[in-house]
Amino acid sequence: MSIQTELTEQLNRYSVDFIRFVDVSALPEEQNKGFPYAILFGIALTPEYIQEITNQPDYIQQKIKREAIHRDEFHLKERKTDRLADELADFLTQKGFTAYSQSEENLAQTGSYNEAIQQTSLPHKTIAHLAGMGWMGKHDLLVTPEYGSAVSMCTVLTDAPLETVLYSPEESMCGECQVCVDVCVPGALKGKTWNIKTSRDEIVDIAHCTTCLRCLVMCPWTQRYAQRPVAVR
């Protein structure tokens, strides 16, 4: 059994919604840390969760106020994907390969997260873009045709031999849509349409972002995912 098959089977046991094996060798070393490949995986947020925040604009603020953010679905799925990344990196190490988990904790411990500007050198969404999963929206989040922005992702960098598919960079499909900008109460979003040369700071004033998730849930692509009929088995 190939290492790629083992990784896929291990992640599928935890019911992830997508797995991609990505060639990141062309990125600068300060981003890929000298690793040629990345393993990207993620879990979709439930349509019910999306609808709950849609109907309750101050949902996150209320969770924080009640000191219940640790029970929030997005928070829990972020923790789960982070834990899986750490476990995957350990698994690869035990197999004799080198691996680096891009979990929040490991990024902080290894000095790869810049607290002052709240940014890492290689965001998961950048790897997802290289994997052909979607494009960057005007809210500076990944937008996928399948789930909109309703995904929790994590990545592992590795030198394990992986088969990858090379995708052309996905262009923005936001068009004239300004929904995320219009629902951003603190005015953190600038309405800039992303392209391959656009920096984060041209899209969002991160210092004014309150992480209320309104831009994530109100994106028409996210709403389309949340409202689609559930398949009857």
Side-chain angles (χ1 to χ4, degrees), residues 14 17 20 22 26 58 66 70 76 103 116 119 178 192 199-200 209-210 215 233:
Y14 289 97
D17 290 301
R20 299 290 187 276
V22 190
D58 63 344
R66 296 195 299 268
H70 62 284
L76 291 171
S103 68
Q119 193 171 36
Q178 290 279 112
K192 174 81 172 181
S199 70
R200 184 195 68 175
C209 175
T210 60
C215 63
R233 297 184 179 179

Side-chain angles (χ1 to χ4, degrees), residues 135-147:
W135 64 95
M136 305 302 172
K138 293 179 182 178
H139 49 4
D140 196 43
L141 300 174
L142 179 74
V143 183
T144 70
E146 296 87 357
Y147 308 108

Side-chain angles (χ1 to χ4, degrees), residues 18 40 124-130 132-137 139-144 147-151 153 170 216 219 222:
F18 56 86
L40 166 79
H124 309 313
K125 60 189 175 185
T126 299
I127 297 175
H129 184 248
L130 293 175
M133 286 198 63
W135 64 95
M136 305 302 172
H139 49 4
D140 196 43
L141 300 174
L142 179 74
V143 183
T144 70
Y147 308 108
S149 296
V151 293
M153 301 181 289
E170 187 89 21
L216 184 157
C219 171
T222 303

Side-chain angles (χ1 to χ4, degrees), residues 2 27 31 39 43 46 48 65 74 89 95 97 103 106 137 139 147 155 162 166 170 200 216 218-219 222 224:
S2 71
L27 295 176
Q31 286 189 289
I39 305 160
I43 304 172
T46 62
E48 293 79 11
K65 183 178 180 179
F74 190 35
K95 290 286 184 176
F97 304 107
S103 68
N106 196 47
H139 49 4
Y147 308 108
T155 52
L162 303 174
L166 183 63
E170 187 89 21
R200 184 195 68 175
L216 184 157
M218 297 308 294
C219 171
T222 303
R224 184 180 303 178

